[in-house]
């Protein structure tokens, strides 16, 4: 019943994560009503997405296809003896936004999850283990997500790294109360952690 | 800091309605991680969107570019003496899904809204007025949204049409629609009831 071209666009946009038929319809109709340059702009950027972006072979961060290696690793100002480990490439930009970190990064490419069929072998763990020796790394900061998967991945990393490098310092991001959240709304695990890791005032 | 190609895709996707930077980032990264065929599929359908879809010159419904006129008008089974007036083309599909209507449609292209600068002249009202004479229309069913703009558009239409055609029957969808819910979001039973209980304006 709908024009074929519109239906095709709705179907395609409906494959984006979290986008149902109603939202896809809204996007498609909005694009149809908007100037054609917007659709063109989106389709061009999507065409360039796979050719213009690749993973850094060392840190697995996202880099321009023209780059050899992540500038966040290559920059001599970045301390290669400290490596902050994240699950996904975009997590890097959240840390960078704090301007509080000058070490390098390592992207695992996810977290161990038996339910989703993600095994340790699918993550970039052995490359991390190799980096510790290659770059004479002194500290690994584990910044996986505070989820069940992130926690078990952190424990696994801790085990694997400390077995091979007994002198390596392994830390993880502090657990505590986030800014602006009332004490009464904090979950018990967070609150316990905040209490145990209390700092001098 | 982000790879240029990824940043461009995030910027472009962020122009979709209701999509903030965080959602755009999620879409772009999902597409980068997915097989390239998905990005290709989306960009191709968007390229075809403007060339493959046009407005019916009679009813202003959306039709295939290859079609002369809306099949919902052209079909001899559709009663041309009854015209159901909607704000947007996609509203037609919500009415069609009820299978309770066999007349024809007329799309206004919006509702009168002084705040958004939409004047009656920008809507397809004069084409509707012309249709009443051309097709010897006997009943106009006004199915604008139950919003302030939709209601005032309904009253305006009633005034303009009844002045020119004193014998024309003008009805509107019954107040079965919950206030503040867009036509496209109404369930089929509510929409059928609203259609069956339409009241004189």
């Amino acid at each position: 019943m709908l024009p074929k071209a519109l239906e095709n666009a709705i179907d395609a946009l409906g494959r984006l994560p979290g986008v149902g038929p109603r939202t896809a319809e809204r996007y498609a109709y909005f694009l149809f009503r908007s100037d054609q340059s917007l659709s063109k702009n989106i389709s061009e950027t999507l065409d360039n997405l796979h050719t213009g972006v690749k993973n850094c072979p060392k840190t697995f961060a996202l880099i321009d296809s023209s780059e050899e290696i992540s500038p966040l690793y290559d920059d001599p100002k970045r301390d290669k003896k400290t490596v902050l480990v994240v699950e996904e490439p975009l997590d890097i930009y959240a840390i960078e936004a704090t301007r509080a970190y000058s070490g390098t990064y390592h992207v695992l490419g996810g977290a161990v999850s038996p339910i989703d069929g993600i095994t340790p072998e699918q993550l970039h763990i052995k490359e991390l283990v190799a980096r510790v020796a290659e770059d004479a790394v002194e500290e690994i900061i584990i910044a996986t997500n505070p989820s069940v998967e992130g926690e078990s991945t952190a424990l696994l990393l801790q085990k694997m790294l400390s077995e091979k490098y007994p002198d390596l310092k392994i830390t993880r991001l502090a657990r505590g109360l986030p800014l602006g959240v009332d004490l009464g709304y904090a979950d018990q695990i967070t609150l316990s952690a905040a209490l145990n890791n209390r700092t001098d005032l």
Side-chain angles (χ1 to χ4, degrees), chain A:
Chain A
M1 195 62 82
L2 278 169
K4 197 78 199 124
L6 188 66
E7 206 175 297
N8 290 342
I10 293 170
D11 288 348
L13 290 166
R15 293 171 67 192
L16 289 170
V19 174
R22 187 63 61 187
T23 305
E25 200 177 277
R26 188 159 152 246
Y27 289 172
Y29 183 57
F30 172 83
L31 289 172
F32 171 70
R33 294 245 336 210
S34 303
D35 191 86
Q36 191 165 0
S37 64
L38 178 52
S39 302
K40 264 216 170 70
N41 181 225
I42 293 178
S43 78
E44 276 169 11
T45 60
L46 295 191
D47 286 341
N48 293 331
L49 194 54
H50 283 79
T51 51
V53 183
K54 67 176 185 187
N55 286 107
C56 166
K58 186 87 184 177
T59 67
F60 301 96
L62 299 177
I63 56 173
D64 280 343
S65 288
S66 57
E67 290 170 331
E68 290 280 319
I69 202 152
S70 169
L72 293 174
Y73 177 83
D74 213 27
D75 188 341
K77 283 192 223 106
R78 308 295 303 208
D79 170 23
K80 289 185 186 49
K81 298 203 181 307
T82 308
V83 178
L84 190 143
V85 181
V86 291
E87 291 181 22
E88 300 292 349
L90 296 181
D91 295 337
I92 290 175
Y93 304 100
I95 302 280
E96 280 297 289
T98 68
R99 295 166 182 262
Y101 180 68
S102 62
T104 59
Y105 293 95
H106 191 89
V107 178
L108 292 174
V112 178
S113 169
I115 288 172
D116 300 321
I118 300 173
T119 64
E121 290 71 35
Q122 288 169 272
L123 305 177
H124 303 299
I125 295 178
K126 71 171 183 296
E127 293 91 341
L128 176 64
V129 173
R131 261 182 84 177
V132 175
E134 282 165 25
D135 292 341
V137 172
E138 290 170 0
E139 179 175 0
I140 295 276
I141 304 170
I142 300 176
T144 51
N145 284 318
S147 60
V148 175
E149 293 79 13
E151 286 300 292
S152 48
T153 306
L155 290 173
L156 177 77
L157 285 178
Q158 195 270 332
K159 190 164 164 283
M160 289 176 77
L161 288 166
S162 61
E163 260 171 21
K164 186 145 188 190
Y165 308 104
D167 295 336
L168 182 66
K169 187 176 175 188
I170 304 171
T171 58
R172 72 167 177 185
L173 294 190
R175 283 298 196 69
L177 293 173
L179 196 78
V181 167
D182 263 18
L183 212 68
Y185 288 95
D187 63 281
Q188 293 180 15
I189 295 171
T190 305
L191 213 48
S192 300
L195 194 61
N196 290 332
N197 304 323
R198 62 189 180 274
T199 53
D200 285 329
L201 200 65

